[in-house]
Amino acid sequence: GDDVELGPVSLRVSVGEKVVLFGANGTGKSSTLAALCGSLALRGGERECGRHVRLGLLHQSPDRGLDVDATPIAALDAASPVPRDAQVGRLARVGIGRAAATRPISALSPGLTVRLALLLLIVRRTNLLALDEVTNFIDRSAKEALLAFLPAFRGGVV
């Protein structure tokens, strides 16, 4: 498509702040989040994050950024190695049972995939979440879980 020019843009998100970007489709919201997270190169200007910021992006498409051939347990092990029973417990708390934990991520529903992706961000100790229209493809229970999580999250959210 067409290039979208944004700017100048300056965004500061402090600990605990929740910031919403809104606009019509195609106005650059996803591109702005990708630039914020460093996955989209800037054509000018600079991107600067605080020294202690651990930024994580939860994409519109739930499996984007995940190795869909890996199992949820393997993904958790790569993010934060702890004993297997602890990983199984973490997964169970987000609704991923023992059987699903040992199958490829590609076999999970979109709702469970979002829950896994969010869990991975949490165990990586992400303190600034960038959420890119994550409710587009998830079920009601996953939306409710996300809505319950966000107010309790102590980090920033865009």
Side-chain angles (χ1 to χ4, degrees):
D2 298 329
D3 284 344
V4 175
E5 183 100 14
L6 298 175
V9 174
S10 178
L11 174 65
R12 180 184 181 105
V13 181
S14 296
V15 174
E17 275 190 310
K18 314 301 192 246
V19 177
V20 177
L21 301 176
F22 62 94
N25 286 340
T27 57
K29 299 178 301 292
S30 295
S31 296
T32 299
L33 289 176
L36 172 71
C37 295
S39 59
L40 177 67
L42 300 177
R43 290 190 294 185
E46 61 187 54
R47 175 186 169 274
E48 184 178 320
C49 285
R51 189 173 44 184
H52 301 288
V53 172
R54 289 180 305 279
L55 201 130
L57 175 61
L58 197 56
H59 295 276
Q60 286 184 44
S61 176
D63 59 358
R64 188 167 166 205
L66 297 176
D67 177 359
V68 296
D69 295 325
T71 65
I73 286 190
L76 271 178
D77 281 338
S80 174
V82 297
R84 186 177 181 97
D85 286 346
Q87 300 295 37
V88 170
R90 286 174 166 175
L91 290 165
R93 283 190 293 280
V94 297
I96 300 173
R98 190 175 293 271
T102 58
R103 285 191 224 123
I105 292 170
S106 61
L108 296 176
S109 70
L112 288 180
T113 304
V114 166
R115 290 175 184 215
L116 173 64
L118 191 56
L119 176 61
L120 290 169
L121 292 174
I122 292 166
V123 301
R124 290 180 183 129
R125 304 186 73 196
T126 299
N127 57 15
L128 179 56
L129 289 175
L131 306 177
D132 188 5
E133 297 187 42
V134 296
T135 61
N136 283 355
F137 303 106
I138 61 175
D139 59 26
R140 183 179 181 160
S141 66
K143 286 178 188 177
E144 289 170 355
L146 182 61
L147 289 173
F149 165 78
L150 288 176
F153 181 65
R154 292 185 181 163
V157 179
V158 179

